[in-house]
């Protein structure tokens, strides 16, 4: 059963093109991690995977729509999911940024992870909004 999680919207003080380019290359995500965490993450331009507590979760780019949306999907993950990152231009050269996630979670996983996924998405938006 597919579960939908939508982040709040946040205003980022960068243009959609600048913000999009920061997310377009999966290697950039690895470089954002602390050095001691980078060893369990592998990335190339289109893919990233991490092994945490014995579980490997992979993400790959499904679609890049320059400067407006990036769609990611699960790859070698314990459950299926899609993530869409939206970069909507605002009149003042800033970006309205938000994230939508659709995940195939059973009832138990949804109860355990649902609020954490939503909180995590909102935290990403908050961090970018403070840049």
């Amino acid at each position: 059963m597919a579960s939908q999680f939508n982040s709040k919207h946040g205003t980022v003080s960068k243009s959609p093109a600048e913000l999009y380019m920061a997310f377009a290359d999966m290697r950039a995500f690895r470089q954002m991690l602390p050095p001691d965490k980078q060893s369990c993450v592998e990335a190339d331009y289109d893919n990233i995977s991490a092994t945490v507590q014995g579980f490997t979760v992979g993400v790959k780019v499904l679609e890049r729509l320059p400067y407006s949306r990036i769609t990611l999907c699960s790859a070698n993950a314990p459950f299926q999911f899609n993530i869409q990152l939206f970069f909507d231009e605002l009149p003042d050269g800033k970006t309205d940024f938000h994230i939508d996630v659709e995940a195939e979670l059973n009832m138990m996983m949804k109860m355990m992870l649902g609020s954490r996924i939503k909180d995590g998405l909102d935290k990403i938006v908050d961090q970018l909004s403070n840049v």
Side-chain angles (χ1 to χ4, degrees):
M1 179 164 147
S3 299
Q4 187 75 30
F5 304 96
N6 304 308
S7 75
K8 60 184 171 181
H9 288 241
T11 300
V12 181
S13 297
K14 295 188 181 291
S15 71
E18 288 177 279
L19 193 56
Y20 171 92
M21 293 305 291
F23 284 95
D25 186 340
M26 296 295 100
R27 294 172 292 200
F29 289 99
R30 184 175 186 274
Q31 294 173 350
M32 289 183 220
L33 296 171
D36 65 316
K37 304 290 184 198
Q38 290 182 6
S39 63
C40 37
V41 177
E42 294 183 21
D44 61 31
Y45 184 70
D46 291 320
N47 303 281
I48 188 166
S49 66
T51 302
V52 180
Q53 297 179 349
F55 289 100
T56 299
V57 177
V59 177
K60 68 179 180 178
V61 175
L62 189 62
E63 176 185 39
R64 289 182 183 91
L65 187 58
Y67 316 129
S68 64
R69 185 179 73 230
I70 297 173
T71 303
L72 310 168
C73 66
S74 56
N76 301 318
F79 58 91
Q80 300 298 309
F81 58 87
N82 288 319
I83 302 168
Q84 290 192 317
L85 309 172
F86 293 93
F87 313 91
D88 299 322
E89 187 170 7
L90 296 173
D92 55 1
K94 296 180 180 178
T95 302
D96 174 39
F97 177 74
H98 65 280
I99 306 167
D100 291 348
V101 175
E102 185 176 292
E104 293 292 332
L105 302 175
N106 62 35
M107 189 59 77
M108 180 65 89
M109 288 181 74
K110 185 175 181 178
M111 288 174 44
M112 289 175 24
L113 299 175
S115 64
R116 289 183 181 177
I117 293 171
K118 170 76 169 118
D119 291 345
L121 296 175
D122 287 345
K123 186 178 281 189
I124 292 168
V125 171
D126 285 342
Q127 289 176 342
L128 287 171
S129 297
N130 293 324
V131 172

